[in-house]
Amino acid sequence: MVRSPISLGLGAAAAAYLIAKILKLTLISIFGEPLSGPLLNLILEAVYSFPWMAGGFVAGYLSSKTPLKNGASTGAIYGVIYCLIGIAMLASQTHGLHDRFAQLSFAAVGIIKFSFLFTLSAALGYTTKTTCKVL
């Protein structure tokens, strides 16, 4: 496992996350708070998928031998950070043990989801790099 693609993939995902938040705020300022409608939902889905797409693509593109492993590692680390921040924000609002288990299970599903999505986009990044080398 090479550390450079993982760290650069995390950096790209963090930058893309900030860009996605700015785009969401821009859409809210243009169209108002209740964002509804098929076109706006399509735009929001594209904006929300930008962080995992950019982070996994960078991790896969910069990998030399194991792009899927690096993409999965990048996604798992991103998922852990993302879910820990979410749990920390919700910890002050919930007090029951049942709510804590729900938060942990949601975090586990989130980590698996991000790992899978980063792996998919890492495959795309690695394929793009090998295709560019052939041409």
Side-chain angles (χ1 to χ4, degrees):
M1 210 168 32
V2 181
R3 298 279 182 227
S4 178
I6 293 173
S7 60
L8 290 175
L10 285 173
Y17 181 76
L18 292 175
I19 291 170
K21 284 293 189 181
I22 291 170
L23 286 174
K24 181 185 173 198
L25 290 174
T26 304
L27 287 173
I28 287 174
S29 68
I30 292 172
F31 295 109
E33 180 58 42
L35 293 174
S36 62
L39 181 61
L40 288 176
N41 286 336
L42 180 72
I43 292 171
L44 279 177
E45 283 298 319
V47 165
Y48 289 147
S49 62
F50 187 54
W52 63 260
M53 186 66 180
F57 186 87
V58 169
Y61 190 84
L62 296 176
S63 296
S64 59
K65 294 182 182 178
T66 56
L68 298 181
K69 188 176 181 181
N70 287 335
S73 300
T74 305
I77 293 169
Y78 179 82
V80 165
I81 293 169
Y82 188 80
C83 292
L84 282 179
I85 290 171
I87 287 174
M89 290 172 57
L90 290 174
S92 63
Q93 299 173 0
T94 58
H95 301 290
L97 185 62
H98 185 267
D99 294 331
R100 303 279 181 186
F101 285 136
Q103 290 173 359
L104 290 176
S105 64
F106 179 75
V109 169
I111 292 167
I112 293 168
K113 178 185 85 167
F114 281 121
S115 180
F116 178 72
L117 292 174
F118 272 72
T119 303
L120 288 178
S121 59
L124 178 66
Y126 186 74
T127 305
T128 302
K129 180 176 84 170
T130 56
T131 305
C132 290
K133 282 184 179 179
V134 169
L135 295 176

